[in-house]
Amino acid sequence: VDRRLRAVARRLPGRAGRWLLSADGALLSVRARTVDVLRTGWRGLTLGMAAYLFLQAALLYACLLAVGAHVQVAEAVAVFAINRMLTTAVVTPSGAGISETGTAALLVSFGVPAGPAAAATILYSFYTYAVEIPAGGAAWVTWVLFRRTPPADPVAPPRALARK
């Protein structure tokens, strides 16, 4: 991709071509940094993602209980799995609307009355969008402001490139 971008950049006139050429090697650098992170931190990334998904499933189950929609744990896990799958629908950003409709429909098919199914779905969506995104942004700002290690030198090559 990097080679093809350079070839396209050489054909572009003026500023656009110069701008693309100024990013020479940027994709390779991003690739090398990503490989480096995955080589050294895959265990933490995997455990973190598993914990995140477990906590989201627990949140969905708590939302169901909060509105009086009592379902079995296996049904709640199935609803959570379908909800996660429906968020990959690329019709809307993060499947918004599609995932909620599918989640509520599956709850109704499991025998939950429509009112509590919709309420639990909306409550869960509220926590995963309206609360999680601003809280994540605040956590990121706090991390950036108070981290103890200096940011990486953007000019220095990552370890994966330095080895080659």
Side-chain angles (χ1 to χ4, degrees), residues 9-161:
R10 286 187 197 104
R11 289 187 185 120
L12 288 175
R15 193 181 299 177
R18 286 192 305 272
W19 179 78
L20 265 178
L21 284 173
S22 71
D24 186 39
L27 289 175
L28 293 174
S29 177
V30 167
R31 178 185 173 272
R33 289 176 194 272
T34 303
V35 167
D36 198 36
V37 166
L38 291 174
R39 276 195 185 125
T40 59
W42 68 269
R43 285 181 187 90
L45 291 168
T46 301
L47 289 174
M49 195 66 211
Y52 175 74
L53 290 172
F54 174 79
L55 290 171
Q56 272 200 329
L59 174 64
L60 176 61
Y61 192 69
C63 290
L64 289 165
L65 293 178
V67 299
H70 299 285
V71 296
Q72 299 295 320
V73 174
E75 292 171 330
V77 169
V79 168
F80 176 73
I82 294 296
N83 175 274
R84 294 290 83 208
M85 184 194 69
L86 289 173
T87 61
T88 63
V90 293
V91 177
T92 61
S94 74
I98 296 168
S99 62
E100 288 83 1
T101 303
T103 300
L106 186 58
L107 285 168
V108 169
S109 75
F110 283 146
V112 176
T121 302
I122 291 169
L123 186 61
Y124 175 72
S125 294
F126 170 76
Y127 282 118
T128 57
Y129 288 103
V131 173
E132 187 175 293
I133 293 171
W140 177 77
V141 167
T142 303
W143 178 75
V144 166
L145 292 175
F146 296 105
R147 68 180 166 184
R148 298 191 190 276
T149 58
D153 182 8
V155 179
R159 286 184 285 192
L161 274 182

